[in-house]
Amino acid sequence: MNADVQGRALAILNRMAQADWPDRLNLRKPFEKLIYTGSRASFRLAADRAQKGGLRTPRKPDPDALFDLFLSDEQQMLVDMLASFASEVLRPAAHDADANAAIPAELLNQAQDLGLTFYGVNEVHGGMAGERTTVSNALMAEALAKGDMSLAAGLLVPLSAANCIRRWGSAEQQQRWLPAFVGESSAPVMAIAVNEPDALFDPLKLATKAKRRGKHYHLSGEKCLVLRGLDASHLIIAAQAENGPALFIVEAGSKGLQRLPEPGMGLKAGATARVKLKGVKVAADQRLNAEHFNYQSFLDHAALAWCALAIGTGQAALEYVTTYCNERVAFGEPISHRQGVAFMVADIAIELDAMRMLTWRACARAEQGLPFHREAYLARLLCAEKAMKIGTDAVQLLGGHGFTKEHPAERWYRDLRAVAIMAGGLQL
Amino acid sequence: MNLETPKKFAGLKHQAHQVAANYFRPISRKYDKAEHAYPKELDLLAALLDGMNAGSPDAIGATSASKRGAAKSLEEGVKNGGNLSALLGVMELCWGDVGLLLAMPRQGLGNAAIAAVANDEQLQRFSGTWAAMAITEPGTGSDSAAIRTTARKDGDHYVLNGEKIFVTSGERADSVVVWATLDKALGRAAIKSFVVEHGTPGMSVTRLEKKLGIKASDTASISFSDCRVPAANLLGNPEVDVQKGFAGVMETFDNTRPLVAGMAIGVAKASLDRTRELLKDTFRFDYAKPLLAVNHAEATLYRLEAEWEAARLLTLKAAWMADNKQPNSKEASIAKAKAGRVANEVTLKCVELAGALGYGEDELLEKWARDSKILDIFEGTQQIQLLIVARRLLGKSSSELK
Ligand SMILES: Cc1cc2nc3c(=O)[nH]c(=O)nc-3n(C[C@H](O)[C@H](O)[C@H](O)COP(=O)(O)OP(=O)(O)OC[C@H]3O[C@@H](n4cnc5c(N)ncnc54)[C@H](O)[C@@H]3O)c2cc1C
């Protein structure tokens, strides 16, 4: 059994103890509670596993499990904690981060203090990720996105990379790369690059190629809209290899690799980048090669992350328009007294919950080890369509004011357009 | 968190599906044609169901959807009980035929009302009855607080006067749960429901509707003229409580709306399944390519499937909340709104996708597209559900958001 889990929780707590911002923002208590129970839950898991003998016991879905939408205590606390972080820290920073197309340095430090990456690294490598993490990760993404979608996306890049390496890397690769994500200094930024600059891009038909030459691969192609592609130390690049699509960890400074800013309609704070690869030499052991590597499943875990971000952003929009429509008066009464307005609000709530149900189901299946490709496909489809509708309706409900930067609706509108477009980038 | 249907309901689902496939489907078209003919095949089936339900806690049918069921079990933790099992049964049965389900003896919405608001003595007395539900009147439907049927206390009886329309199974059922007002001046708080047995003097069925769909289910007009009903047949509290009188009656809907949503899920699934069957050699349905890269018809089916799944899960959620004693009016209305509109869209689109085949009477697709429409109308129309949801979200009263 791994007895270090509690020590690890203490280490994060210590880091938080030294920071002063949690006190300023009244976040100390919820965070301490979270760490305490988080470590307790991990303890329990580790003990369970030790009993069953070994870490790699395949998860068995529980056929007797009841239909259950309750969050676990740990999940609830995680959500509460990140919700306050989102409303106290992310939302106030969102406007400027969008305008400056960057995550403020202070925010990066605060996020580091939160220890998000611990949830992506398993216990043997110093983290706190238990067996079932997909739903919790989705809840985290949703909670953060309620503050701001592009800040949330940017902040989730290191956790996503950790998830990616934990899930798709071999034992040696995990040993080599994962400890850095839970070390003393900031977690490394490894940006996941899948999208390519083609209309009707299909992530299963990658134009980026990886040619095997002895102990190396040579990567050539072009990747676009890479979240945090510019400040990343490494890129996790999807490329077509001799035997199918594969993921490669590539140093950002490699010869033949060029990075350019690629601002888009939204996701500004995520500082999206274009990455060009010309015969970039990558050691063969930097191809993620877990035995069960499954590119489709990798894509699905990414799609679900975008779904979760869309849900959080949609929730923010719902709450914002609810308040606004009650306060705004036209023709002698609050505009919310008109069905043309009120029904739009109701529809946002209905479709938002629809998105949430599909996404949660796909995530719950994924973490139970059940097939979930169909569910992820349908969740993405629904989220892509409904999220954009929520984005455009939120602007509409605010009228001309919604069109200006005085309100976040226009930013949500731009950010939510990305949900249908992003492949990869993140990983629950 | 788990959103899969638990194994303990597998038997029930399977049974209901067998009934739908082997009992409902073969007579589906017959009773679509023979409107107003009683599907006598249902008697045997109803007896069978009564037997099954008596022997199992997870009963199929409207009566098991009630907060009472949830209240009985005292164990801690998450519960999957009567509301979920009733819903799962209804979904499967309506995959067979919505009209036939609505025509099933002893499974009327009146039974759900009795199950939800009757006192113990009444539960006992009315057990085994087949009860229809009569709220709607010629002058009012959605605005159920505006009903004009009156109930005047006279000794040990109430005397009912008024006109009810659109009563599902109003002629075939043993009794009708009638909404009437004790005092029009007191508004909604004075509305009470009464169990009126067929054969009570002063009650008469005046008309049966001819309809677009669900023709196996009868829709009756019933008039009441000085109809004397025993006072003990008033469901719930006879006092006029201005605070919560109406709320009590409306609570029934929190339990029945997910069931109507479940009917929508069932019929929509029938259309989706059949359409995919017809197109199985045309498309792969492997969820492999991005939506924009597949054929438009295939993409349409994916989209409908996603909408259907969402409606299904929202409906399960509403029923699950009832099982776990969480207030669920908003979620029940969300489920009904989503499932109602999705089922209507799905069934109509499937006719279009199947083309002439879908439109012709050789297939049941055109029938399902007619049947589905009512599910977005009764138990509260689409617009009424949106009103309920919007009022909750915005914190508005019915006089502010009308
Ligand atoms: C086959 C069938 C079976 C039925 N079974 C039963 C039964 O068993 N028992 C029973 O009591 N009733 C039953 N009904 C009646 C059904 O519940 C009503 O028809 C329904 O509630 C709508 O009422 P209405 O027809 O009077 O329409 P109206 O209330 O007149 O509504 C007409 C239109 O206006 C809209 N509307 C109304 N008010 C508003 C508002 N405030 N804001 C926005 N839009 C609004 C409605 O959504 C609808 O689109 C049945 C009806 C049918 C057709």
Side-chain angles (χ1 to χ4, degrees), chain A residues 9-319:
Chain A
L10 284 173
I12 307 186
L13 200 57
N14 186 25
R15 207 152 70 190
M16 286 289 277
Q18 289 169 35
D20 64 339
W21 61 271
D23 291 320
R24 263 192 285 127
L25 300 167
N26 278 329
L27 289 176
R28 171 89 52 207
K29 270 267 139 24
F31 194 77
E32 282 172 2
K33 220 161 117 193
L34 174 75
I35 290 295
Y36 171 67
T37 46
S39 58
R40 208 182 42 184
S42 306
F43 246 131
R44 213 174 42 230
L45 271 174
D48 283 357
R49 216 164 303 154
Q51 263 182 2
K52 285 187 210 127
L55 278 167
R56 278 267 162 194
T57 36
R59 289 159 303 185
K60 280 251 169 56
D62 173 8
D64 296 324
L66 296 180
F67 184 91
D68 186 4
L69 295 171
F70 288 126
L71 306 191
S72 70
D73 290 348
E74 191 192 0
Q75 286 169 339
Q76 191 58 57
M77 268 180 282
L78 197 53
V79 166
D80 291 347
M81 148 75 196
L82 292 179
S84 356
F85 181 71
S87 64
E88 303 296 324
V89 182
L90 295 186
R91 181 69 66 80
H95 175 275
D96 290 354
D98 178 66
N100 303 330
I103 308 178
E106 194 198 354
L107 198 60
L108 287 174
N109 290 335
Q110 291 169 338
Q112 169 71 11
D113 292 342
L114 287 177
L116 293 179
T117 45
F118 277 73
Y119 290 90
V121 175
N122 29 23
E123 291 146 21
V124 269
H125 296 116
M128 302 199 296
E131 279 200 330
R132 297 188 170 184
T133 56
T134 320
V135 171
S136 297
N137 271 251
L139 295 171
M140 287 160 71
E142 178 181 335
L144 289 171
K146 216 182 130 188
D148 183 64
M149 182 161 156
S150 72
L151 282 174
L155 294 179
L156 286 170
V157 165
L159 171 62
S160 295
N163 280 335
C164 197
I165 295 168
R166 182 185 87 250
R167 191 171 287 129
W168 306 122
S170 65
E172 299 80 62
Q173 289 172 327
Q174 293 183 41
Q175 180 58 47
R176 173 173 170 196
W177 300 102
L178 285 180
F181 286 91
V182 289
E184 275 302 307
S185 43
S186 335
V189 179
M190 297 196 181
I192 305 174
V194 177
N195 268 86
E196 293 176 351
D198 276 319
L200 290 180
F201 167 67
D202 179 349
L204 288 174
K205 294 186 183 148
L206 296 169
T208 303
K209 304 287 184 227
K211 294 231 163 65
R212 182 82 192 231
R213 299 263 159 74
K215 289 198 162 140
H216 289 86
Y217 283 92
H218 291 247
L219 268 58
S220 294
E222 200 162 325
K223 294 290 171 185
C224 64
L225 290 180
V226 182
L227 270 180
R228 295 190 67 180
L230 291 178
D231 70 328
S233 63
H234 293 77
L235 296 150
I236 300 177
I237 292 181
Q240 183 68 30
E242 71 281 7
N243 52 356
L247 300 175
F248 297 86
I249 300 182
V250 182
E251 271 121 78
S254 299
K255 195 158 159 261
L257 191 152
Q258 190 194 1
R259 295 184 285 174
L260 302 162
E262 186 186 29
M265 176 180 181
L267 294 182
K268 299 270 190 197
T272 47
R274 179 71 64 100
V275 177
K276 297 182 178 177
L277 304 131
K278 268 197 202 127
V280 176
K281 207 170 147 190
V282 185
D285 66 0
Q286 286 178 211
R287 171 179 174 171
L288 290 181
N289 61 355
E291 250 169 61
H292 57 271
F293 178 80
N294 180 333
Y295 180 67
Q296 183 63 64
S297 173
F298 156 78
L299 290 177
D300 291 341
H301 279 95
L304 290 172
W306 289 101
C307 290
L309 290 178
I311 295 165
T313 312
Q315 185 68 42
L318 173 63
E319 289 174 21

Side-chain angles (χ1 to χ4, degrees), chain A residues 63 65-70 326 336-337 339 347 351 353 361 365 368 373-374 377 385-386, chain B residues 1-2 4 6-7 80 287-289 303 305 307 309 317 320 326 338 341 393-394 396 402:
Chain A
L66 296 180
F67 184 91
D68 186 4
L69 295 171
F70 288 126
N326 274 337
S336 61
H337 289 192
Q339 289 190 355
D347 275 331
E351 299 305 349
D353 221 14
R361 176 157 189 242
R365 286 182 69 92
Q368 289 175 48
H373 172 61
R374 169 184 171 269
Y377 187 93
E385 181 182 318
K386 305 298 181 191
Chain B
M1 186 179 296
N2 179 43
E4 305 308 307
K7 200 177 80 184
N80 286 185
Y287 312 92
K289 286 192 211 158
R303 191 178 60 74
E305 189 181 355
E307 295 277 20
E309 271 286 0
K317 175 181 177 183
W320 172 84
Q326 308 217 319
K338 181 73 180 166
R341 67 199 193 194
L393 289 166
L394 294 157
K396 295 292 171 187
K402 296 198 273 273

